[in-house]
Protein backbone atom coordinates (compact mmCIF):
# COMPACT_ATOMS: atom_id res chain seq x y z
CA UNK A 1 0.00 0.00 0.00
CA UNK A 2 1.27 3.48 -0.89
CA UNK A 3 0.49 5.96 1.90
CA UNK A 4 -0.68 9.42 0.90
CA UNK A 5 2.31 11.12 2.55
CA UNK A 6 4.87 8.52 1.52
CA UNK A 7 5.37 7.02 4.99
CA UNK A 8 6.12 3.38 5.69
CA UNK A 9 3.31 1.39 7.34
CA UNK A 10 5.10 1.49 10.71
CA UNK A 11 6.14 5.16 10.58
CA UNK A 12 4.74 7.98 12.71
CA UNK A 13 4.15 11.40 11.23
CA UNK A 14 6.72 14.05 12.21
CA UNK A 15 6.12 15.02 15.86
CA UNK A 16 7.10 18.23 17.61
CA UNK A 17 6.23 19.42 21.12
CA UNK A 18 6.98 23.05 22.02
CA UNK A 19 6.88 23.75 25.76
CA UNK A 20 5.88 27.00 27.48
CA UNK A 21 3.74 28.01 24.52
CA UNK A 22 1.39 30.15 26.63
CA UNK A 23 3.02 32.55 29.10
CA UNK A 24 0.00 32.61 31.44
CA UNK A 25 -0.61 28.89 32.03
CA UNK A 26 1.23 26.84 34.67
CA UNK A 27 2.02 24.37 31.90
CA UNK A 28 1.50 24.62 28.16
CA UNK A 29 2.61 23.07 24.89
CA UNK A 30 1.95 23.21 21.19
CA UNK A 31 1.92 19.61 19.97
CA UNK A 32 2.25 18.96 16.24
CA UNK A 33 1.69 15.50 14.75
CA UNK A 34 1.95 15.84 11.02
CA UNK A 35 -0.55 18.56 10.10
CA UNK A 36 -2.54 18.13 13.32
CA UNK A 37 -1.80 20.90 15.81
CA UNK A 38 -3.17 21.18 19.34
CA UNK A 39 -2.49 23.75 22.07
CA UNK A 40 -2.57 22.06 25.49
CA UNK A 41 -2.62 24.26 28.61
CA UNK A 42 -2.58 23.14 32.24
CA UNK A 43 -4.29 25.39 34.78
CA UNK A 44 -4.05 24.88 38.54
CA UNK A 45 -6.86 25.72 40.97
CA UNK A 46 -6.25 25.52 44.71
CA UNK A 47 -9.41 23.56 45.37
CA UNK A 48 -10.68 20.13 44.39
CA UNK A 49 -14.07 19.55 42.72
CA UNK A 50 -17.07 19.49 45.06
CA UNK A 51 -17.28 15.70 45.13
CA UNK A 52 -13.72 15.53 46.51
CA UNK A 53 -13.95 18.28 49.15
CA UNK A 54 -12.28 17.05 52.34
CA UNK A 55 -11.06 13.82 50.72
CA UNK A 56 -7.43 14.84 50.98
CA UNK A 57 -6.65 14.45 47.30
CA UNK A 58 -6.75 16.38 44.08
CA UNK A 59 -8.18 15.90 40.60
CA UNK A 60 -7.02 16.07 37.01
CA UNK A 61 -9.59 16.77 34.31
CA UNK A 62 -9.65 17.87 30.69
CA UNK A 63 -11.63 19.94 28.24
CA UNK A 64 -11.33 19.61 24.47
CA UNK A 65 -12.38 21.86 21.64
CA UNK A 66 -11.81 22.47 17.97
CA UNK A 67 -11.54 25.90 16.39
CA UNK A 68 -14.09 26.63 13.63
CA UNK A 69 -11.54 26.38 10.79
CA UNK A 70 -9.45 23.56 12.23
CA UNK A 71 -11.03 21.47 9.47
CA UNK A 72 -11.63 21.82 5.73
CA UNK A 73 -14.97 23.55 6.21
CA UNK A 74 -16.01 25.86 9.03
CA UNK A 75 -17.71 24.24 12.00
CA UNK A 76 -19.82 26.43 14.28
CA UNK A 77 -18.48 26.89 17.81
CA UNK A 78 -20.19 24.65 20.32
CA UNK A 79 -20.67 27.68 22.57
CA UNK A 80 -22.77 29.27 19.83
CA UNK A 81 -24.77 26.09 19.29
CA UNK A 82 -25.51 26.07 23.00
CA UNK A 83 -24.38 22.53 23.76
CA UNK A 84 -21.29 20.34 23.74
CA UNK A 85 -21.45 17.55 21.19
CA UNK A 86 -21.20 13.87 22.04
CA UNK A 87 -17.83 13.51 20.32
CA UNK A 88 -16.37 16.35 22.39
CA UNK A 89 -17.68 14.82 25.63
CA UNK A 90 -16.17 11.47 24.70
CA UNK A 91 -12.77 12.90 23.83
CA UNK A 92 -12.38 15.13 26.87
CA UNK A 93 -13.38 12.28 29.17
CA UNK A 94 -10.79 10.08 27.45
CA UNK A 95 -8.05 12.68 27.94
CA UNK A 96 -8.96 13.14 31.61
CA UNK A 97 -9.03 9.38 32.28
CA UNK A 98 -5.69 8.90 30.57
CA UNK A 99 -3.92 11.59 32.57
CA UNK A 100 -5.44 10.56 35.91
CA UNK A 101 -4.15 7.04 35.37
CA UNK A 102 -0.56 8.23 35.90
CA UNK A 103 -1.16 10.72 38.73
CA UNK A 104 -1.00 10.04 42.48
CA UNK A 105 -4.03 12.17 43.38
CA UNK A 106 -3.37 12.28 47.16
CA UNK A 107 0.19 13.51 46.45
CA UNK A 108 -1.30 16.32 44.35
CA UNK A 109 -3.11 17.71 47.40
CA UNK A 110 -6.56 19.30 47.41
CA UNK A 111 -6.32 21.08 44.09
CA UNK A 112 -7.51 20.66 40.51
CA UNK A 113 -5.43 20.69 37.33
CA UNK A 114 -7.46 21.26 34.16
CA UNK A 115 -5.95 20.43 30.79
CA UNK A 116 -7.48 22.45 27.95
CA UNK A 117 -6.79 20.86 24.59
CA UNK A 118 -7.66 23.21 21.73
CA UNK A 119 -7.28 21.91 18.19
CA UNK A 120 -6.13 24.69 15.88
CA UNK A 121 -5.63 22.41 12.87
CA UNK A 122 -6.99 18.89 12.44
CA UNK A 123 -5.63 16.18 10.17
CA UNK A 124 -6.51 13.02 12.09
CA UNK A 125 -5.43 11.85 15.53
CA UNK A 126 -6.48 14.95 17.48
CA UNK A 127 -7.41 12.96 20.61
CA UNK A 128 -4.16 11.00 20.65
CA UNK A 129 -2.07 14.12 20.00
CA UNK A 130 -3.95 15.85 22.83
CA UNK A 131 -3.04 13.11 25.31
CA UNK A 132 0.61 13.05 24.26
CA UNK A 133 0.94 16.84 24.49
CA UNK A 134 -1.23 17.34 27.58
CA UNK A 135 1.01 15.01 29.56
CA UNK A 136 4.00 17.30 29.00
CA UNK A 137 1.93 20.36 30.00
CA UNK A 138 0.79 18.49 33.12
CA UNK A 139 4.37 17.70 34.15
CA UNK A 140 5.32 21.37 33.78
CA UNK A 141 2.33 22.42 35.91
CA UNK A 142 3.28 19.92 38.61
CA UNK A 143 6.87 21.14 38.59
CA UNK A 144 5.52 24.68 39.02
CA UNK A 145 3.79 23.52 42.22
CA UNK A 146 6.96 21.84 43.42
CA UNK A 147 9.04 24.95 42.75
CA UNK A 148 6.64 26.95 44.95
CA UNK A 149 6.91 24.36 47.71
CA UNK A 150 3.18 23.56 47.46
CA UNK A 151 3.78 19.83 46.98
CA UNK A 152 6.72 17.85 48.29
CA UNK A 153 7.20 15.13 45.70
CA UNK A 154 6.55 14.45 42.04
CA UNK A 155 3.01 12.99 41.87
CA UNK A 156 3.45 11.67 38.31
CA UNK A 157 3.76 7.89 38.43
CA UNK A 158 4.65 7.19 34.80
CA UNK A 159 4.74 8.63 31.31
CA UNK A 160 1.73 8.28 29.02
CA UNK A 161 1.19 8.77 25.29
CA UNK A 162 -1.25 7.72 22.59
CA UNK A 163 -1.43 7.02 18.90
CA UNK A 164 -3.80 5.59 16.31
CA UNK A 165 -3.46 2.47 14.23
CA UNK A 166 -5.72 0.94 11.64
CA UNK A 167 -6.22 -1.22 8.60
CA UNK A 168 -6.40 0.46 5.20
CA UNK A 169 -6.64 -1.48 1.95
CA UNK A 170 -5.94 -4.64 3.91
CA UNK A 171 -2.72 -3.37 5.48
CA UNK A 172 -2.12 -2.40 9.10
CA UNK A 173 -0.67 1.11 9.41
CA UNK A 174 0.42 3.42 12.22
CA UNK A 175 -0.72 6.98 13.01
CA UNK A 176 -3.50 7.61 10.51
CA UNK A 177 -3.89 11.02 8.88
CA UNK A 178 -7.40 12.25 8.04
CA UNK A 179 -7.58 10.70 4.57
CA UNK A 180 -6.44 7.33 5.92
CA UNK A 181 -8.79 7.54 8.89
CA UNK A 182 -11.72 8.32 6.59
CA UNK A 183 -10.98 5.30 4.40
CA UNK A 184 -9.93 2.87 7.16
CA UNK A 185 -11.60 -0.52 7.40
CA UNK A 186 -10.54 -0.70 11.05
CA UNK A 187 -9.57 2.22 13.30
CA UNK A 188 -8.03 1.97 16.78
CA UNK A 189 -6.79 4.48 19.35
CA UNK A 190 -4.32 3.12 21.89
CA UNK A 191 -3.21 4.83 25.12
CA UNK A 192 -0.26 3.31 26.98
CA UNK A 193 2.07 4.12 29.86
CA UNK A 194 5.83 4.15 29.83
CA UNK A 195 5.72 0.83 31.66
CA UNK A 196 3.85 -0.72 28.73
CA UNK A 197 0.46 -0.88 30.45
CA UNK A 198 -2.76 -0.08 28.60
CA UNK A 199 -5.04 2.73 29.70
CA UNK A 200 -7.43 2.71 26.75
CA UNK A 201 -7.97 0.57 23.66
CA UNK A 202 -10.66 1.92 21.35
CA UNK A 203 -11.18 -0.25 18.29
CA UNK A 204 -13.94 -0.13 15.67
CA UNK A 205 -14.61 -1.92 12.44
CA UNK A 206 -15.89 0.50 9.79
CA UNK A 207 -18.17 -1.71 7.67
CA UNK A 208 -15.64 -4.48 8.33
CA UNK A 209 -14.54 -6.87 11.04
CA UNK A 210 -11.12 -7.80 12.35
CA UNK A 211 -9.48 -10.88 13.77
CA UNK A 212 -7.68 -11.53 17.07
CA UNK A 213 -4.45 -11.81 15.07
CA UNK A 214 -5.06 -8.36 13.54
CA UNK A 215 -5.76 -6.89 16.99
CA UNK A 216 -2.41 -8.20 18.20
CA UNK A 217 -0.66 -6.84 15.11
CA UNK A 218 -2.25 -3.40 15.54
CA UNK A 219 -1.46 -3.25 19.26
CA UNK A 220 2.16 -4.25 18.64
CA UNK A 221 2.48 -1.52 16.02
CA UNK A 222 0.85 1.06 18.30
CA UNK A 223 3.14 0.09 21.17
CA UNK A 224 6.17 0.65 18.95
CA UNK A 225 4.90 4.14 18.10
CA UNK A 226 4.04 4.98 21.71
CA UNK A 227 7.48 3.92 22.92
CA UNK A 228 8.97 6.39 20.45
CA UNK A 229 6.58 9.13 21.61
CA UNK A 230 7.47 8.57 25.26
CA UNK A 231 11.18 8.72 24.51
CA UNK A 232 10.51 11.99 22.73
CA UNK A 233 8.53 13.32 25.73
CA UNK A 234 11.55 12.50 27.92
CA UNK A 235 13.82 14.37 25.52
CA UNK A 236 11.52 17.40 25.43
CA UNK A 237 11.11 17.53 29.20
CA UNK A 238 14.77 16.95 30.00
CA UNK A 239 15.48 17.72 33.66
CA UNK A 240 11.78 18.49 34.21
CA UNK A 241 11.08 14.74 34.02
CA UNK A 242 13.15 14.09 37.15
CA UNK A 243 11.21 12.15 39.77
CA UNK A 244 8.58 10.69 37.43
CA UNK A 245 7.89 7.14 38.53
CA UNK A 246 9.37 7.59 41.99
CA UNK A 247 6.00 7.98 43.73
Amino acid sequence: MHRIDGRKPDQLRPVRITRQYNKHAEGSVLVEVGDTRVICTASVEDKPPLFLRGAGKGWVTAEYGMLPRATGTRTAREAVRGKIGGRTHEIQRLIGRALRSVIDLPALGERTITLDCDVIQADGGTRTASITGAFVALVDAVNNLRAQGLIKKMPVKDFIAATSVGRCAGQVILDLCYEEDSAAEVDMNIVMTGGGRFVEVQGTGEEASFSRQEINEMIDLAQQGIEWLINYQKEVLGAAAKGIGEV
Side-chain angles (χ1 to χ4, degrees):
M1 173 190 169
H2 175 74
R3 301 188 72 173
I4 191 166
D5 51 11
R7 284 182 291 146
K8 296 176 182 177
D10 62 351
Q11 189 176 359
L12 290 166
R13 290 174 288 176
V15 180
R16 181 167 61 178
I17 296 175
T18 305
R19 290 168 65 202
Q20 298 168 353
Y21 195 72
N22 178 318
K23 72 177 184 179
H24 300 295
E26 285 84 0
S28 67
V29 306
L30 169 67
V31 56
E32 301 171 81
V33 181
D35 285 337
T36 288
R37 293 176 187 148
V38 187
I39 297 172
C40 305
T41 54
S43 303
V44 179
E45 276 188 289
D46 289 325
K47 59 181 179 180
L50 283 171
F51 68 90
L52 281 179
R53 293 282 167 86
K57 61 181 181 179
W59 191 247
V60 174
T61 187
E63 293 188 13
Y64 169 95
M66 193 176 287
L67 293 189
R69 274 317 298 265
T71 55
T73 56
R74 186 181 188 278
T75 303
R77 297 179 194 272
E78 289 181 322
V80 172
R81 292 203 300 262
K83 65 177 182 177
I84 297 175
R87 177 180 180 273
T88 298
H89 269 300
E90 177 210 345
I91 292 174
Q92 60 191 28
R93 290 179 66 190
L94 166 65
I95 299 166
R97 283 196 306 269
L99 296 173
R100 285 194 298 275
S101 74
V102 293
I103 292 289
D104 182 342
L105 294 174
L108 188 60
E110 292 200 3
R111 52 181 55 87
T112 302
I113 301 180
T114 302
L115 281 303
D116 287 293
C117 300
D118 293 291
V119 181
I120 59 175
Q121 185 168 282
D123 186 32
T126 60
R127 71 188 69 193
T128 53
S130 294
I131 291 168
T132 302
F135 174 79
V136 175
L138 177 60
V139 172
D140 277 339
V142 163
N143 277 322
N144 186 286
L145 291 170
R146 292 172 76 197
Q148 296 178 66
L150 297 173
I151 56 174
K152 295 180 179 179
K153 61 180 182 179
M154 169 64 81
V156 183
K157 299 183 288 187
D158 202 349
F159 285 79
I160 194 164
T163 193
S164 64
V165 66
R167 190 183 76 204
C168 285
Q171 185 169 28
V172 173
I173 58 174
L174 178 66
D175 188 18
L176 282 64
C177 67
Y178 175 75
E179 287 84 354
E180 291 170 335
D181 186 41
S182 298
E185 299 140 17
V186 179
D187 179 25
M188 296 186 79
N189 294 302
I190 311 288
V191 187
M192 294 183 72
T193 68
R197 297 183 66 82
F198 296 97
V199 176
E200 196 100 12
V201 178
Q202 298 179 335
T204 306
E206 302 286 351
E207 299 182 10
S209 60
F210 48 95
S211 68
R212 172 69 69 87
Q213 181 180 346
E214 285 177 310
I215 291 175
N216 292 339
E217 186 180 353
M218 285 187 281
I219 287 176
D220 287 345
L221 191 57
Q223 182 167 4
Q224 173 188 316
I226 288 170
E227 286 172 355
W228 187 94
L229 289 168
I230 287 174
N231 284 330
Y232 178 59
Q233 287 174 330
K234 292 176 180 178
E235 178 186 326
V236 168
L237 283 164
K242 185 178 180 181
I244 292 177
E246 296 178 5
V247 176

